Amino acid sequence: MALRINGKVDASTGDARTQLLLGHLGAAFEPAPRRVLIIGFGSGMTASAVARYPDVERIDCVEIEPAVIRAAPYLESLNRNVLSDPRVHVIFDDARNFLLTSREKYDLIISEPSNPWIAGIATLFTDEYYAAVRRQLAPGGKFVQWVQEYSLAPADLRMVVASLAPHFGEVTLWRAAGPDLLLLGRTDAAPFEFRRLRSLWQNPVLRKDFESIDVHQPEGLVAYYLLDDAAVRKLAEGSTLNTDDRTLLEYHAPQTVLTPGLSDAIQELITQFRKGPLPTNLEPSEVQHALEGGSLTALDLSDEANARKFVTALESQPESTLRYIVQGRFALIEGALRDAKSLLEAAVKRDPDSPEAMHWLAVTEHRSGEHASARLRVDEILKRHPRFLPALTDEMEFAADRKDFRIALLAQLNRMAVMPDPPASEYCRLGAIWMKMSNLREAEPVLLRGSLKDPYSYACHLELGELYRETGRFSLARQHFELVVRFYPDYDPTIFRSLAGVYVALGDSNSAMATLRKGLRLFPDDQELQKAVSGK
């Protein structure tokens, strides 16, 4: 789902991680913000993230385009109907004009516009803009700037940083989703600590937000950290400023917007200045917990390079159950199954009742071919912790691997019973298991329910297409296959043959051949499509 303005995507489900981090990065650390200003409403997800904090008293959102607010009800799945929150106030104005005329002081200001090649956006990256932001910050205030590393030359990133950094006592660089970066400017360079976030961790809606970005304990947020203040200023050293008089960024950015390899170049630039996985001014008492939490989040993000830094640094810390789990998981990623098993056995020995340690040991045993032992271990977890979702997932996946779909079905039903509101993907998975059991009557309503929860679900529509094709309901099969081909054309070459077969069954040979040719253009090396198009 996406919101487009003049054809340009300005918010989407694909940006969800970044939009949540924009709100949480500024609000999670001390001091607690009470008055917040957000530049640009977008989907409203950032505003909804800030609204999760009970101590926030007011959220002002400056938005230049009224149509963005009119679009908000269509994006309620992203913004959680944040406009109904009485703390939220929308101001229709240009951000620069508002900052230069407002008398309000804010504890946190978040600037969402991030693509300086769009007309007018580069003026939200100038020296004067950042000076105006700084004037509106209260003592101890923080500023978060979204800037992307894709389609942006390294020199232009350095220009943005050089224009922003002089106005703040400390600036740190953080990663977000994919090629997105966040700059966190603080008026005071106080040590980083997670005391505030730990105190809020029992807030269920706040914790759910963090878990959706793979932060499963407060200190895990540190996995998104990249550069400290000294490194940020070193990166910006010698760069020209982007100013109101000479908005160089407005002219540089469009010149490189289609240049390939810029994201890799920026990553290399950042790597040159990166010192270690943790902020250099982290409270010493936070180090071990930060390394453990950061390791877990880096592993959940499948960020092997970052995980390696955390795991290596963790070796100097005292032994703990979590340390052994992290080291075992990293060995599993590297394919060192024997080492992984030894480390995870050490974790279980330290804490025999740790479901997390037993779960990863079971996964390791399963991958090592020790299937009976893995099953017994999962059974043991579920006896002690019957609602532990990873073990239920193990039970389902292990059963599916050995083609015991009856057990896989029961495990999937138990998994969904544990979830407060199962997402569409879980209904798709349940329907697929029913399909494996050749029980199409049970599969159909489950898959339909999944497609209602997510009208663009690849898995549900694919399974429904196959179900209707098998039962001879070709018109329905065509609808579902056409949706898959339209929205996911490069996922799987077999879908083109499936849709072509349905067209043939409906007597439409021209559409069948057009579909096969389209598939062959996308998958020119697929031999089955080659045979189908050539008729051989």
Side-chain angles (χ1 to χ4, degrees), residues 13 28 31 34-35 71 73 109 123 135 174 176 190-191 238 243 290 327 351 370-371 410 419 422-423 467 506 529 536:
T13 47
R34 301 193 180 279
R35 300 178 70 84
I109 298 178
T123 58
R135 282 194 298 270
W174 302 68
T243 66
Q327 291 173 323
D351 184 359
E370 301 173 35
H371 303 303
L410 293 173
M419 301 175 187
L467 186 151
L506 291 170
L529 284 172
K536 295 180 181 178

Side-chain angles (χ1 to χ4, degrees), residues 478 480-500 503 509-526 528-530 532-534:
R478 181 190 65 196
H480 291 283
F481 283 150
E482 284 179 343
L483 185 145
V484 173
V485 165
R486 179 182 178 190
F487 291 104
Y488 307 95
D490 58 349
Y491 270 37
D492 187 351
T494 60
I495 184 63
F496 293 94
R497 300 201 305 273
S498 298
L499 178 56
Y503 281 135
S509 58
N510 290 334
S511 293
M513 183 54 66
T515 297
L516 291 171
R517 287 173 176 158
K518 179 178 180 177
L520 189 58
R521 288 198 301 274
L522 289 167
F523 300 95
D525 298 325
D526 187 85
E528 295 300 321
L529 284 172
Q530 290 172 0
V533 170
S534 65

Side-chain angles (χ1 to χ4, degrees), residues 37 39 62 91 93-106 109 123-124 126-137 244:
L37 172 65
I39 307 296
V62 179
I91 301 148
D93 199 353
D94 171 77
R96 293 286 300 266
N97 186 64
F98 177 80
L99 286 168
L100 293 171
T101 57
S102 174
R103 296 181 180 179
E104 298 288 342
K105 293 288 186 180
Y106 295 96
I109 298 178
T123 58
L124 300 182
T126 66
D127 177 64
E128 291 84 354
Y129 171 69
Y130 293 127
V133 166
R134 178 64 183 84
R135 282 194 298 270
Q136 301 310 123
L137 282 174
D244 285 353

Side-chain angles (χ1 to χ4, degrees), residues 14 17-18 148-150 175-181 224 263 267 301:
R17 186 180 299 270
T18 297
Q148 77 297 315
E149 66 181 31
Y150 62 90
R175 59 170 287 189
D180 285 323
L181 300 171
Y224 290 97
S263 179
Q267 287 182 32
L301 291 171

Side-chain angles (χ1 to χ4, degrees), residues 432-447:
I433 295 172
W434 279 120
M435 292 277 286
K436 292 288 187 182
M437 298 174 70
S438 300
N439 191 330
L440 306 187
R441 187 165 63 177
E442 293 286 354
E444 184 177 6
V446 171
L447 293 169

Side-chain angles (χ1 to χ4, degrees), residues 146-165:
W146 180 2
V147 58
Q148 77 297 315
E149 66 181 31
Y150 62 90
S151 301
L152 192 70
D156 287 342
L157 174 64
R158 293 176 65 239
M159 187 191 303
V160 170
V161 176
S163 303
L164 179 151

